[in-house]
Amino acid sequence: MAASGRLGTFRLPPLPTIRELIKLFRLRALKQLSQNFLLDLRLTDKIVRQAGNLRHAHVYEVGPGPGGITRSILNAGVAELLVVEKDIRFIPGLQMLSDAAPGKLRIVHGDVLTFKVENAFPESLRRQWEDDPPDVHIIGNLPFSVSTPLIIKWLENMSRRDGPFTFGRTQMTLTFQKEVAERLTASTGSKQRSRLSVMAQYLCHVQQVLTIPGRAFVPKPEVDVGVVHFTPLTQPQIEQPFKLVEKVVLNAFQFRRKYCHRGLSMLFPKAQRLESTGKLLELADVDPTLRPSKLSVSHFKSLCDVYRKMCDEDPHLFAYNFRDELRQLATKTLKGKNTKERATHLQDASSTQVFLAYPDSNKNASS
Ligand SMILES: C[S@@+](CC[C@H](N)C(=O)[O-])C[C@H]1O[C@@H](n2cnc3c(N)ncnc32)[C@H](O)[C@@H]1O
Protein backbone atom coordinates (compact mmCIF):
# COMPACT_ATOMS: atom_id res chain seq x y z
CA MET A 1 0.00 0.00 0.00
CA ALA A 2 1.44 3.39 -0.90
CA ALA A 3 0.88 6.50 1.18
CA SER A 4 1.43 9.96 -0.24
CA GLY A 5 3.16 12.63 1.83
CA ARG A 6 0.03 14.80 1.68
CA LEU A 7 -1.81 14.28 5.00
CA GLY A 8 -0.72 10.63 4.83
CA THR A 9 -3.69 9.94 2.50
CA PHE A 10 -3.97 6.57 0.86
CA ARG A 11 -2.82 6.45 -2.79
CA LEU A 12 -3.06 3.42 -5.02
CA PRO A 13 0.33 2.06 -6.12
CA PRO A 14 1.20 2.31 -9.85
CA LEU A 15 -1.26 0.18 -11.82
CA PRO A 16 -1.94 -0.39 -15.51
CA THR A 17 -3.97 2.54 -16.88
CA ILE A 18 -7.70 1.95 -17.44
CA ARG A 19 -6.97 1.82 -21.18
CA GLU A 20 -4.30 -0.86 -20.63
CA LEU A 21 -6.64 -2.76 -18.32
CA ILE A 22 -9.42 -2.69 -20.90
CA LYS A 23 -6.94 -4.13 -23.43
CA LEU A 24 -5.54 -6.68 -20.98
CA PHE A 25 -8.95 -8.12 -20.09
CA ARG A 26 -10.46 -7.44 -23.56
CA LEU A 27 -13.27 -5.37 -22.03
CA ARG A 28 -15.02 -4.27 -25.19
CA ALA A 29 -17.97 -2.03 -24.22
CA LEU A 30 -21.26 -3.84 -24.83
CA LYS A 31 -23.75 -1.70 -26.67
CA GLN A 32 -26.70 -3.74 -25.40
CA LEU A 33 -25.63 -2.86 -21.81
CA SER A 34 -25.13 0.83 -22.75
CA GLN A 35 -21.57 0.74 -21.46
CA ASN A 36 -19.60 4.01 -21.77
CA PHE A 37 -16.36 4.24 -19.87
CA LEU A 38 -14.44 7.12 -18.33
CA LEU A 39 -10.71 6.68 -18.91
CA ASP A 40 -9.39 10.05 -17.74
CA LEU A 41 -8.56 9.86 -14.04
CA ARG A 42 -8.49 13.66 -13.69
CA LEU A 43 -12.12 13.65 -14.74
CA THR A 44 -13.09 10.77 -12.43
CA ASP A 45 -11.29 12.62 -9.58
CA LYS A 46 -13.41 15.68 -10.40
CA ILE A 47 -16.64 13.64 -10.29
CA VAL A 48 -15.68 12.04 -6.99
CA ARG A 49 -14.82 15.45 -5.45
CA GLN A 50 -18.48 16.43 -6.02
CA ALA A 51 -19.47 13.87 -3.37
CA GLY A 52 -17.70 15.96 -0.70
CA ASN A 53 -15.04 14.83 1.76
CA LEU A 54 -14.76 11.04 1.54
CA ARG A 55 -11.92 10.53 4.03
CA HIS A 56 -12.90 7.59 6.26
CA ALA A 57 -16.26 7.33 4.47
CA HIS A 58 -18.06 4.13 3.50
CA VAL A 59 -18.90 4.32 -0.17
CA TYR A 60 -21.21 2.22 -2.33
CA GLU A 61 -20.27 2.51 -6.00
CA VAL A 62 -22.85 1.28 -8.50
CA GLY A 63 -21.58 -0.06 -11.84
CA PRO A 64 -17.78 0.33 -11.46
CA GLY A 65 -17.01 -1.24 -14.87
CA PRO A 66 -13.27 -1.02 -15.58
CA GLY A 67 -12.81 1.00 -12.39
CA GLY A 68 -11.97 4.63 -13.27
CA ILE A 69 -14.29 6.15 -10.66
CA THR A 70 -13.35 3.28 -8.32
CA ARG A 71 -9.68 4.36 -8.36
CA SER A 72 -10.60 7.97 -7.62
CA ILE A 73 -12.81 6.90 -4.69
CA LEU A 74 -10.00 4.76 -3.25
CA ASN A 75 -7.56 7.64 -3.64
CA ALA A 76 -9.94 9.89 -1.69
CA GLY A 77 -8.98 8.01 1.48
CA VAL A 78 -12.20 6.12 2.14
CA ALA A 79 -12.51 3.62 4.97
CA GLU A 80 -14.28 1.12 2.73
CA LEU A 81 -15.58 0.89 -0.82
CA LEU A 82 -18.23 -1.59 -1.85
CA VAL A 83 -18.79 -1.99 -5.59
CA VAL A 84 -21.66 -3.83 -7.29
CA GLU A 85 -21.12 -4.77 -10.93
CA LYS A 86 -23.44 -6.81 -13.13
CA ASP A 87 -21.02 -7.68 -15.92
CA ILE A 88 -18.72 -10.49 -14.78
CA ARG A 89 -15.99 -9.50 -17.28
CA PHE A 90 -15.04 -6.57 -15.02
CA ILE A 91 -14.46 -8.62 -11.87
CA PRO A 92 -10.78 -9.65 -12.55
CA GLY A 93 -9.79 -6.01 -13.22
CA LEU A 94 -11.57 -4.90 -10.04
CA GLN A 95 -9.84 -7.73 -8.16
CA MET A 96 -6.52 -6.23 -9.27
CA LEU A 97 -7.59 -2.94 -7.65
CA SER A 98 -8.66 -4.77 -4.52
CA ASP A 99 -5.21 -6.40 -4.26
CA ALA A 100 -3.63 -2.96 -4.56
CA ALA A 101 -5.81 -1.59 -1.74
CA PRO A 102 -5.92 -4.41 0.81
CA GLY A 103 -9.02 -4.45 3.02
CA LYS A 104 -10.56 -1.42 1.32
CA LEU A 105 -12.42 -2.72 -1.72
CA ARG A 106 -15.27 -5.23 -1.55
CA ILE A 107 -16.52 -6.53 -4.89
CA VAL A 108 -19.99 -7.90 -5.46
CA HIS A 109 -21.02 -9.43 -8.76
CA GLY A 110 -24.69 -8.48 -8.71
CA ASP A 111 -27.48 -6.15 -9.78
CA VAL A 112 -27.86 -2.72 -8.16
CA LEU A 113 -31.61 -2.90 -8.71
CA THR A 114 -31.90 -5.78 -6.22
CA PHE A 115 -28.76 -5.46 -4.06
CA LYS A 116 -29.54 -4.70 -0.40
CA VAL A 117 -26.95 -2.17 0.72
CA GLU A 118 -28.63 -1.77 4.12
CA ASN A 119 -27.06 -5.08 5.19
CA ALA A 120 -23.65 -4.28 3.73
CA PHE A 121 -22.26 -1.61 6.08
CA PRO A 122 -21.83 -1.68 9.89
CA GLU A 123 -24.82 -0.68 12.03
CA SER A 124 -22.55 1.72 13.90
CA LEU A 125 -22.73 4.08 10.88
CA ARG A 126 -26.43 4.77 11.48
CA ARG A 127 -27.45 8.32 12.31
CA GLN A 128 -30.76 9.87 13.33
CA TRP A 129 -32.55 11.33 10.34
CA GLU A 130 -32.30 14.87 11.74
CA ASP A 131 -28.55 14.53 12.35
CA ASP A 132 -25.86 15.44 9.84
CA PRO A 133 -25.70 12.94 6.95
CA PRO A 134 -23.94 9.69 7.83
CA ASP A 135 -20.48 8.82 6.49
CA VAL A 136 -22.13 6.68 3.82
CA HIS A 137 -22.17 7.79 0.18
CA ILE A 138 -23.52 6.39 -3.05
CA ILE A 139 -21.60 7.20 -6.23
CA GLY A 140 -22.15 5.89 -9.72
CA ASN A 141 -22.02 6.25 -13.45
CA LEU A 142 -24.72 3.82 -14.56
CA PRO A 143 -26.35 3.35 -17.97
CA PHE A 144 -29.19 5.84 -18.37
CA SER A 145 -31.67 2.97 -18.66
CA VAL A 146 -30.77 1.92 -15.10
CA SER A 147 -30.14 5.27 -13.41
CA THR A 148 -33.68 6.63 -13.89
CA PRO A 149 -35.62 3.61 -12.46
CA LEU A 150 -32.97 3.38 -9.75
CA ILE A 151 -33.40 6.99 -8.64
CA ILE A 152 -37.19 6.52 -8.44
CA LYS A 153 -36.64 3.40 -6.32
CA TRP A 154 -34.17 5.22 -4.07
CA LEU A 155 -36.47 8.23 -3.70
CA GLU A 156 -39.15 5.84 -2.47
CA ASN A 157 -36.61 4.27 -0.07
CA MET A 158 -35.74 7.78 1.10
CA SER A 159 -39.40 8.58 1.82
CA ARG A 160 -39.61 5.41 3.95
CA ARG A 161 -36.10 5.84 5.40
CA ASP A 162 -35.19 2.30 4.45
CA GLY A 163 -32.76 0.71 1.92
CA PRO A 164 -29.64 2.91 1.68
CA PHE A 165 -31.38 5.41 3.98
CA THR A 166 -31.46 3.13 7.02
CA PHE A 167 -28.12 4.83 7.76
CA GLY A 168 -29.76 8.28 7.77
CA ARG A 169 -29.63 10.95 5.10
CA THR A 170 -27.18 9.11 2.81
CA GLN A 171 -25.89 11.41 0.06
CA MET A 172 -25.78 10.34 -3.59
CA THR A 173 -23.69 11.54 -6.52
CA LEU A 174 -24.95 10.04 -9.76
CA THR A 175 -24.72 10.62 -13.49
CA PHE A 176 -27.72 11.05 -15.78
CA GLN A 177 -28.34 11.94 -19.38
CA LYS A 178 -28.01 15.76 -19.29
CA GLU A 179 -31.69 16.27 -20.10
CA VAL A 180 -32.71 14.06 -17.16
CA ALA A 181 -30.25 15.88 -14.86
CA GLU A 182 -31.90 19.15 -15.92
CA ARG A 183 -35.36 17.74 -15.21
CA LEU A 184 -34.30 16.55 -11.76
CA THR A 185 -33.09 20.02 -10.83
CA ALA A 186 -35.59 22.18 -12.77
CA SER A 187 -37.20 24.99 -10.79
CA THR A 188 -40.91 25.91 -10.82
CA GLY A 189 -41.95 27.42 -14.13
CA SER A 190 -38.90 26.31 -16.10
CA LYS A 191 -39.10 24.47 -19.39
CA GLN A 192 -37.64 21.25 -17.99
CA ARG A 193 -39.98 21.15 -15.00
CA SER A 194 -41.50 17.66 -14.84
CA ARG A 195 -42.64 14.79 -12.65
CA LEU A 196 -39.02 13.97 -11.77
CA SER A 197 -38.35 17.54 -10.58
CA VAL A 198 -41.17 17.41 -8.03
CA MET A 199 -40.53 13.82 -6.91
CA ALA A 200 -36.84 14.55 -6.27
CA GLN A 201 -37.21 18.04 -4.84
CA TYR A 202 -39.92 17.30 -2.27
CA LEU A 203 -37.50 14.85 -0.64
CA CYS A 204 -34.00 16.19 -1.36
CA HIS A 205 -31.78 19.10 -1.99
CA VAL A 206 -30.87 18.35 -5.62
CA GLN A 207 -28.04 20.04 -7.46
CA GLN A 208 -26.49 19.51 -10.87
CA VAL A 209 -22.82 19.85 -9.97
CA LEU A 210 -21.05 19.04 -13.24
CA THR A 211 -21.69 18.56 -16.94
CA ILE A 212 -19.51 16.07 -18.80
CA PRO A 213 -19.38 16.26 -22.58
CA GLY A 214 -20.28 12.99 -24.33
CA ARG A 215 -16.84 12.97 -25.96
CA ALA A 216 -15.23 12.27 -22.56
CA PHE A 217 -16.64 8.71 -22.65
CA VAL A 218 -15.47 5.67 -24.60
CA PRO A 219 -17.43 4.84 -26.66
CA LYS A 220 -18.98 8.29 -26.96
CA PRO A 221 -22.72 8.40 -26.12
CA GLU A 222 -24.99 10.57 -28.24
CA VAL A 223 -25.70 12.95 -25.37
CA ASP A 224 -23.85 14.92 -22.71
CA VAL A 225 -24.00 13.80 -19.12
CA GLY A 226 -24.95 15.65 -15.94
CA VAL A 227 -23.63 14.76 -12.49
CA VAL A 228 -26.31 15.28 -9.85
CA HIS A 229 -25.79 15.46 -6.09
CA PHE A 230 -28.68 14.54 -3.76
CA THR A 231 -28.89 15.31 -0.03
CA PRO A 232 -32.12 14.13 1.63
CA LEU A 233 -34.00 16.90 3.46
CA THR A 234 -34.42 16.58 7.23
CA GLN A 235 -38.12 17.33 6.71
CA PRO A 236 -39.72 16.22 3.40
CA GLN A 237 -41.73 19.05 1.87
CA ILE A 238 -44.73 16.75 1.42
CA GLU A 239 -45.61 14.41 4.25
CA GLN A 240 -47.77 11.84 2.51
CA PRO A 241 -46.96 8.30 1.30
CA PHE A 242 -44.66 8.23 -1.74
CA LYS A 243 -47.21 6.35 -3.89
CA LEU A 244 -49.86 8.98 -3.19
CA VAL A 245 -47.51 11.85 -4.08
CA GLU A 246 -46.41 9.95 -7.20
CA LYS A 247 -50.03 9.49 -8.30
CA VAL A 248 -50.95 13.16 -7.87
CA VAL A 249 -47.76 14.36 -9.61
CA LEU A 250 -48.07 11.83 -12.44
CA ASN A 251 -51.66 12.89 -13.15
CA ALA A 252 -50.87 16.60 -12.93
CA PHE A 253 -48.13 16.30 -15.57
CA GLN A 254 -50.16 14.13 -17.90
CA PHE A 255 -51.04 17.03 -20.14
CA ARG A 256 -48.06 19.32 -19.90
CA ARG A 257 -49.47 22.03 -22.13
CA LYS A 258 -52.95 22.06 -20.64
CA TYR A 259 -54.15 23.73 -17.50
CA CYS A 260 -53.40 21.60 -14.45
CA HIS A 261 -57.07 20.78 -13.77
CA ARG A 262 -57.09 18.56 -16.89
CA GLY A 263 -54.52 16.10 -15.62
CA LEU A 264 -55.66 16.30 -12.01
CA SER A 265 -59.25 15.51 -13.02
CA MET A 266 -58.09 12.02 -14.02
CA LEU A 267 -57.59 11.23 -10.34
CA PHE A 268 -61.37 10.81 -10.15
CA PRO A 269 -63.90 8.43 -11.75
CA LYS A 270 -65.80 9.91 -14.66
CA ALA A 271 -69.09 10.17 -12.77
CA GLN A 272 -67.66 12.49 -10.11
CA ARG A 273 -64.77 14.00 -12.08
CA LEU A 274 -65.99 17.56 -12.47
CA GLU A 275 -67.22 18.00 -8.93
CA SER A 276 -64.26 16.30 -7.21
CA THR A 277 -61.65 18.15 -9.28
CA GLY A 278 -63.30 21.43 -8.34
CA LYS A 279 -63.30 20.45 -4.66
CA LEU A 280 -59.64 19.35 -4.79
CA LEU A 281 -58.44 22.58 -6.37
CA GLU A 282 -60.59 24.81 -4.20
CA LEU A 283 -59.58 23.19 -0.89
CA ALA A 284 -55.92 23.11 -1.96
CA ASP A 285 -56.20 26.75 -3.02
CA VAL A 286 -54.60 26.05 -6.39
CA ASP A 287 -55.48 28.06 -9.50
CA PRO A 288 -56.96 25.51 -11.98
CA THR A 289 -55.54 27.49 -14.90
CA LEU A 290 -51.90 27.09 -13.89
CA ARG A 291 -49.85 24.91 -16.25
CA PRO A 292 -48.36 21.83 -14.54
CA SER A 293 -44.85 23.29 -14.84
CA LYS A 294 -45.98 26.33 -12.82
CA LEU A 295 -46.99 24.21 -9.81
CA SER A 296 -44.50 24.55 -6.97
CA VAL A 297 -43.70 21.81 -4.46
CA SER A 298 -45.85 23.73 -1.98
CA HIS A 299 -48.81 23.59 -4.44
CA PHE A 300 -48.25 19.84 -4.65
CA LYS A 301 -48.15 19.62 -0.86
CA SER A 302 -51.62 21.20 -0.64
CA LEU A 303 -52.97 19.02 -3.47
CA CYS A 304 -51.59 15.84 -1.86
CA ASP A 305 -52.94 16.76 1.59
CA VAL A 306 -56.45 17.40 0.20
CA TYR A 307 -56.37 14.32 -2.05
CA ARG A 308 -55.32 12.25 1.01
CA LYS A 309 -58.37 13.53 2.93
CA MET A 310 -60.62 12.69 -0.05
CA CYS A 311 -59.10 9.17 -0.16
CA ASP A 312 -59.71 8.73 3.57
CA GLU A 313 -63.37 9.67 3.03
CA ASP A 314 -63.76 7.36 0.00
CA PRO A 315 -61.79 4.10 0.43
CA HIS A 316 -62.10 3.21 -3.29
CA LEU A 317 -60.64 6.47 -4.54
CA PHE A 318 -56.92 5.75 -4.20
CA ALA A 319 -57.22 2.48 -6.15
CA TYR A 320 -59.00 4.25 -9.01
CA ASN A 321 -57.00 4.33 -12.22
CA PHE A 322 -58.59 6.01 -15.22
CA ARG A 323 -56.74 3.66 -17.58
CA ASP A 324 -58.70 0.71 -16.13
CA GLU A 325 -61.91 2.61 -16.86
CA LEU A 326 -60.79 3.15 -20.46
CA ARG A 327 -59.86 -0.52 -20.85
CA GLN A 328 -63.32 -1.60 -19.62
CA LEU A 329 -64.91 0.83 -22.04
CA ALA A 330 -62.87 -0.63 -24.92
CA THR A 331 -63.80 -4.22 -23.96
CA LYS A 332 -67.50 -3.31 -23.89
CA THR A 333 -67.22 -1.74 -27.34
CA LEU A 334 -65.53 -4.89 -28.74
CA LYS A 335 -68.26 -7.27 -27.54
CA GLY A 336 -70.38 -8.61 -30.41
CA LYS A 337 -67.98 -7.43 -33.14
CA ASN A 338 -66.52 -9.90 -35.67
CA THR A 339 -62.75 -10.47 -36.02
CA LYS A 340 -62.28 -7.89 -38.78
CA GLU A 341 -64.22 -5.24 -36.90
CA ARG A 342 -62.23 -6.00 -33.74
CA ALA A 343 -58.94 -5.63 -35.60
CA THR A 344 -59.99 -2.27 -37.04
CA HIS A 345 -61.20 -1.16 -33.65
CA LEU A 346 -57.97 -2.21 -31.94
CA GLN A 347 -55.94 -0.40 -34.57
CA ASP A 348 -57.75 2.81 -33.71
CA ALA A 349 -58.03 1.95 -30.04
CA SER A 350 -55.34 4.15 -28.55
CA SER A 351 -56.34 7.33 -30.32
CA THR A 352 -60.05 6.62 -29.88
CA GLN A 353 -59.64 5.93 -26.17
CA VAL A 354 -57.63 9.05 -25.64
CA PHE A 355 -60.12 11.04 -27.65
CA LEU A 356 -63.07 9.69 -25.64
CA ALA A 357 -61.42 10.62 -22.40
CA TYR A 358 -59.97 13.93 -23.45
CA PRO A 359 -61.99 15.25 -26.38
CA ASP A 360 -59.49 18.01 -27.18
CA SER A 361 -56.31 16.05 -26.46
CA ASN A 362 -55.34 15.95 -30.14
CA LYS A 363 -55.27 19.73 -30.33
CA ASN A 364 -52.19 21.65 -29.39
CA ALA A 365 -54.16 24.61 -28.14
CA SER A 366 -54.42 24.91 -24.38
CA SER A 367 -57.69 24.48 -22.54
C1 LIG B 1 -21.79 3.55 -18.16
S1 LIG B 1 -20.81 2.19 -17.59
C2 LIG B 1 -19.74 3.03 -16.49
C3 LIG B 1 -18.55 2.25 -16.02
C4 LIG B 1 -17.61 2.99 -15.08
N1 LIG B 1 -18.28 3.37 -13.84
C5 LIG B 1 -17.04 4.22 -15.74
O1 LIG B 1 -17.47 5.32 -15.37
O2 LIG B 1 -16.19 4.08 -16.61
C6 LIG B 1 -22.01 1.44 -16.53
C7 LIG B 1 -21.54 0.24 -15.74
O3 LIG B 1 -22.64 -0.23 -14.96
C8 LIG B 1 -22.76 -1.63 -15.10
N2 LIG B 1 -24.17 -1.98 -14.89
C9 LIG B 1 -25.19 -1.80 -15.75
N3 LIG B 1 -26.34 -2.21 -15.20
C10 LIG B 1 -26.04 -2.63 -13.95
C11 LIG B 1 -26.82 -3.17 -12.88
N4 LIG B 1 -28.14 -3.31 -13.00
N5 LIG B 1 -26.20 -3.52 -11.75
C12 LIG B 1 -24.85 -3.35 -11.61
N6 LIG B 1 -24.08 -2.86 -12.59
C13 LIG B 1 -24.66 -2.50 -13.74
C14 LIG B 1 -22.27 -1.91 -16.51
O4 LIG B 1 -21.88 -3.26 -16.69
C15 LIG B 1 -21.09 -0.93 -16.60
O5 LIG B 1 -19.94 -1.48 -16.07
Side-chain angles (χ1 to χ4, degrees):
M1 191 191 310
S4 79
R6 193 167 51 93
L7 297 170
T9 341
F10 172 85
R11 297 298 297 180
L12 283 164
L15 287 164
T17 63
I18 300 284
R19 204 179 282 278
E20 286 163 349
L21 198 99
I22 287 175
K23 232 178 171 174
L24 183 67
F25 292 105
R26 300 179 182 191
L27 302 174
R28 196 174 45 83
L30 294 179
K31 211 169 178 186
Q32 65 270 35
L33 288 184
S34 315
Q35 291 174 339
N36 307 97
F37 307 136
L38 287 166
L39 310 186
D40 178 353
L41 292 189
R42 279 167 310 179
L43 184 55
T44 56
D45 280 350
K46 201 167 168 186
I47 295 172
V48 169
R49 275 201 297 275
Q50 309 307 318
N53 184 0
L54 295 183
R55 281 200 79 198
H56 310 308
H58 293 252
V59 179
Y60 171 32
E61 189 196 352
V62 289
I69 294 179
T70 318
R71 291 183 189 211
S72 296
I73 298 173
L74 287 169
N75 279 331
V78 296
E80 182 191 16
L81 170 58
L82 166 73
V83 296
V84 175
E85 172 56 59
K86 192 175 182 179
D87 185 342
I88 200 157
R89 298 175 307 141
F90 294 115
I91 305 298
L94 292 167
Q95 193 53 52
M96 192 186 259
L97 279 184
S98 175
D99 295 343
K104 290 217 179 259
L105 177 59
R106 236 183 326 150
I107 305 161
V108 174
H109 173 223
D111 189 326
V112 298
L113 290 166
T114 51
F115 182 74
K116 293 201 178 323
V117 70
E118 55 272 38
N119 304 328
F121 290 133
E123 292 232 343
S124 57
L125 293 171
R126 292 186 185 196
R127 295 279 170 276
Q128 293 296 323
W129 192 261
E130 294 71 23
D131 289 349
D132 285 342
D135 235 353
V136 178
H137 294 256
I138 300 178
I139 300 179
N141 171 29
L142 280 168
F144 306 135
S145 56
V146 180
S147 53
T148 306
L150 192 62
I151 193 63
I152 294 286
K153 177 173 139 73
W154 279 341
L155 288 172
E156 185 163 9
N157 286 139
M158 198 183 287
S159 74
R160 292 197 305 248
R161 304 182 184 182
D162 63 13
F165 307 96
T166 40
F167 301 102
R169 294 185 296 120
T170 300
Q171 297 176 74
M172 306 187 283
T173 309
L174 302 167
T175 59
F176 296 89
Q177 184 176 341
K178 187 165 165 262
E179 195 187 302
V180 176
E182 284 169 359
R183 272 193 242 146
L184 281 161
T185 54
S187 54
T188 311
S190 68
K191 206 173 128 214
Q192 304 287 0
R193 184 78 166 175
S194 68
R195 177 177 75 107
L196 264 184
S197 332
V198 181
M199 295 310 290
Q201 292 169 29
Y202 94 84
L203 288 162
C204 310
H205 175 65
V206 198
Q207 205 184 355
Q208 184 175 341
V209 284
L210 205 62
T211 304
I212 311 174
R215 68 184 132 77
F217 295 82
V218 178
K220 175 180 170 302
E222 275 163 23
V223 290
D224 291 343
V225 169
V227 181
V228 181
H229 185 77
F230 303 79
T231 310
L233 298 172
T234 43
Q235 191 76 29
Q237 294 196 63
I238 304 175
E239 292 192 277
Q240 295 295 349
F242 186 86
K243 289 285 182 221
L244 185 141
V245 181
E246 196 177 39
K247 190 171 181 194
V248 172
V249 175
L250 198 92
N251 276 274
F253 277 98
Q254 238 174 146
F255 308 108
R256 291 190 60 83
R257 298 192 198 174
K258 307 275 178 195
Y259 293 147
C260 68
H261 71 85
R262 295 302 309 280
L264 288 166
S265 73
M266 304 318 283
L267 286 166
F268 305 103
K270 208 167 171 215
Q272 66 180 79
R273 194 162 284 158
L274 201 63
E275 191 190 334
S276 296
T277 311
K279 184 175 163 190
L280 171 72
L281 288 156
E282 193 186 332
L283 291 178
D285 196 20
V286 170
D287 177 351
T289 64
L290 283 177
R291 310 277 172 204
S293 64
K294 292 266 163 61
L295 295 174
S296 64
V297 173
S298 124
H299 282 131
F300 276 107
K301 177 190 164 21
S302 312
L303 288 166
C304 290
D305 288 348
V306 175
Y307 179 62
R308 169 65 189 265
K309 274 199 194 120
M310 294 171 91
C311 289
D312 288 344
E313 284 162 15
D314 173 358
H316 302 295
L317 184 57
F318 187 64
Y320 170 74
N321 179 344
F322 77 89
R323 288 197 176 86
D324 295 340
E325 205 170 51
L326 288 179
R327 245 174 259 130
Q328 279 165 14
L329 193 71
T331 317
K332 252 192 212 163
T333 318
L334 283 176
K335 262 188 194 156
K337 288 196 188 295
N338 65 33
T339 317
K340 198 174 163 205
E341 284 169 336
R342 277 171 181 245
T344 318
H345 182 86
L346 285 172
Q347 229 173 17
D348 296 343
S350 55
S351 53
T352 310
Q353 285 176 22
V354 171
F355 185 78
L356 280 173
Y358 327 110
D360 62 348
S361 64
N362 56 345
K363 290 184 223 147
N364 270 342
S366 51
S367 36

